[in-house]
Amino acid sequence: MPQWLSNQLLRAFQSKNRRQIQMLNDCWFFYRNKSGDSR
């Protein structure tokens, strides 16, 4: 996971921002599927 995305997720969890957590989660799955990582 890219460091910028990890930082954003940590910040979203700390502020309990559900919309941001969901959006970042979707971005991560899209990024992972697009880059072809099998991790």
Side-chain angles (χ1 to χ4, degrees):
M1 178 179 292
Q3 188 60 47
W4 64 268
L5 185 57
S6 184
N7 291 341
Q8 289 287 323
L9 272 168
L10 282 173
R11 212 170 297 145
F13 273 109
Q14 286 170 353
S15 64
K16 295 180 175 64
N17 187 342
R18 286 176 184 256
R19 263 180 71 196
Q20 191 177 11
I21 293 168
Q22 184 66 49
M23 192 262 305
L24 290 166
N25 201 32
D26 290 343
C27 287
W28 169 237
F29 281 108
F30 176 76
Y31 171 83
R32 216 175 85 184
N33 290 339
K34 190 175 180 189
S35 66
D37 278 348
S38 58
R39 284 181 247 161

